[in-house]
Amino acid sequence: MSENSKIEWTDHSFNPWEGCQKVGPGCDHCYAETRNARFGGGTAVNWGPGAPRRRTSAANWRKPLAWNRDAGVFYAQHGRRQRVFCASLADVFDNAVDPAWRADLFDLIYATPNLDWLLLTKRIGNVPRMLVGAGMPGRLPSNVWLGATIVNQSEADRDIPKLLAVHARVRFLSMEPLLGPVNLKDISITGRPMDIMLPLAGLTWTVTSTGTRCTTSHPKVDWVIVGGESGPGARPMHRDWARSLREQCAEAGVPFLFKQWGEWCESDDSGQGAWVAADGRGHCDIESGEALEMMQRAVNGETGTTWRLMTRVGKARAGRRLDGVQHDGYPEVQA
């Protein structure tokens, strides 16, 4: 359950346990659930409500200790610290996980100070309470980067303020699978209609009852990862969604990493095709009634959303270049 990872933005993957439960649209085609079923005789035995989580072996838990011992050699070769993506097959802040396991994980993180641990969660709202349960009220170890998965605007509005409220050395967004356009320049904070947050700048504007705008500063998003969906049932990503996030990050000076197109890309090759709407309304089969109507409206010169024709070519062929450029931005962290 731990290995030198093929994930573009990490060096190692480490899974302290396996199992999870779907909590949002980004989970619809979960690769980890599919993998769990493959090794479970066709049934994802560690997935879903009430399913047991499976702790990995003691030998697996010792591997980060070895990576930590080799940190000097790695730094000499690469000029940076090793990154460990924790729980690619689970969620560290899953309610169904035994709190003692989570405490053991944080003990391991403290015991490996030469590694940067990347904890990515779809349950960012659980973090403060679970840190208290693990004996760390209010803050994470200094070698932890905390990330939230964001796939659409509603998740951005709901979860980014929660992410920025947690004390962490690095705060990042994993926007994969990206399922619609997302504005990170200024978001409407869920439940606080008078507050507008600028997460890439580290500011919040509050309009008072008298109409005065007050500005407060706070931590900002340090890194943005963007990618399309891969695997069976993958949904296509509109290029304008990724382009917009790239430009937003460039304007704010925030590192941007384009991880992949996923299964789909713009292509003239024959094969399965789909139209994708820039406004995020979804996608439709190339021969569907909606697609034919869209094309007719375009012929008539009617204004509306921008649709792009995508072709399913597979993850390898689709690649990870956006407008011909490979984007590999990372936050700068002192050793």
Side-chain angles (χ1 to χ4, degrees):
M1 293 304 164
S2 57
E3 58 187 354
N4 294 322
S5 181
K6 295 181 180 179
I7 298 172
E8 289 78 2
W9 43 266
T10 190
D11 301 300
H12 308 285
S13 293
F14 172 74
N15 281 284
W17 51 82
E18 184 174 353
C20 200
Q21 179 179 342
K22 294 180 179 180
V23 293
C27 302
D28 287 353
H29 307 131
C30 178
Y31 71 90
E33 180 184 22
T34 301
R35 181 188 182 282
N36 191 257
R38 186 167 69 248
F39 288 96
T43 301
V45 294
N46 303 116
W47 238 262
R53 307 307 187 233
R54 185 182 69 82
R55 181 162 170 149
T56 56
S57 69
N60 183 62
W61 278 68
R62 288 192 293 270
K63 290 187 177 181
L65 298 173
W67 302 334
N68 187 71
R69 288 193 299 270
D70 294 338
V73 174
F74 184 93
Y75 191 89
Q77 292 176 341
H78 301 279
R80 63 171 177 82
R81 292 161 60 88
Q82 296 174 88
R83 293 183 288 264
V84 179
F85 174 30
C86 184
S88 62
L89 303 177
D91 192 320
V92 171
F93 300 102
D94 177 6
N95 289 301
V97 171
D98 186 337
W101 294 4
R102 192 177 299 109
D104 289 345
L105 172 61
F106 282 112
D107 286 344
L108 179 61
I109 290 172
Y110 275 115
T112 52
N114 298 319
L115 305 177
D116 286 329
W117 289 78
L118 281 60
L119 308 186
L120 176 62
T121 180
K122 293 181 172 65
R123 298 164 172 83
I124 193 66
N126 285 351
V127 175
R129 171 175 56 83
M130 291 183 176
L131 289 182
V132 171
M136 298 179 298
R139 62 190 303 127
L140 287 157
S142 61
N143 57 333
V144 167
W145 300 12
L146 181 64
T149 298
I150 302 294
V151 303
N152 55 32
Q153 190 67 54
S154 63
E155 290 189 354
D157 295 346
R158 181 192 69 197
D159 289 342
I160 290 178
K162 298 175 184 177
L163 169 67
L164 298 183
V166 180
H167 179 91
R169 188 178 188 183
V170 172
R171 301 168 183 85
F172 69 97
L173 305 179
S174 175
M175 308 184 75
E176 179 193 1
L178 186 61
L179 300 180
V182 180
N183 172 27
L184 296 178
K185 289 185 177 181
D186 48 88
I187 64 174
S188 301
I189 304 176
T190 302
R192 293 161 58 185
M194 303 302 290
D195 291 346
I196 300 296
M197 176 176 279
L198 287 65
L200 298 180
L203 299 172
T204 293
W205 294 337
T206 300
V207 180
T208 68
S209 58
T210 61
T212 303
R213 192 179 79 179
C214 300
T215 303
T216 56
S217 60
H218 50 74
K220 67 182 182 70
V221 171
D222 299 300
W223 187 29
V224 175
I225 302 167
V226 171
E229 191 168 33
S230 57
R235 292 156 285 189
M237 175 179 63
H238 198 290
R239 71 177 184 185
D240 287 355
W241 306 341
R243 280 176 166 175
S244 173
L245 289 165
R246 178 191 61 193
E247 298 310 314
Q248 292 176 56
C249 289
E251 182 178 333
V254 173
F256 172 83
L257 187 148
F258 187 67
K259 181 176 179 289
Q260 63 178 32
W261 277 102
E263 300 292 331
W264 300 76
C265 70
E266 293 184 338
S267 172
D268 294 331
D269 296 341
S270 59
Q272 182 184 358
W275 292 96
V276 187
D279 61 10
R281 73 177 65 174
H283 60 278
C284 58
D285 184 86
I286 194 170
E287 296 181 354
S288 69
E290 184 179 5
L292 295 174
E293 179 184 353
M294 178 275 299
M295 287 186 286
Q296 184 59 54
R297 293 178 61 150
V299 169
N300 295 339
E302 298 179 35
T303 59
T305 189
T306 302
W307 292 73
R308 303 299 303 183
L309 178 60
M310 308 293 290
T311 306
R312 185 169 187 135
V313 298
K315 177 180 174 180
R317 285 189 59 193
R320 54 184 303 259
R321 292 182 178 272
L322 179 58
D323 293 329
V325 177
Q326 183 168 305
H327 296 275
D328 284 322
Y330 291 92
E332 294 185 4
V333 178
Q334 296 299 318

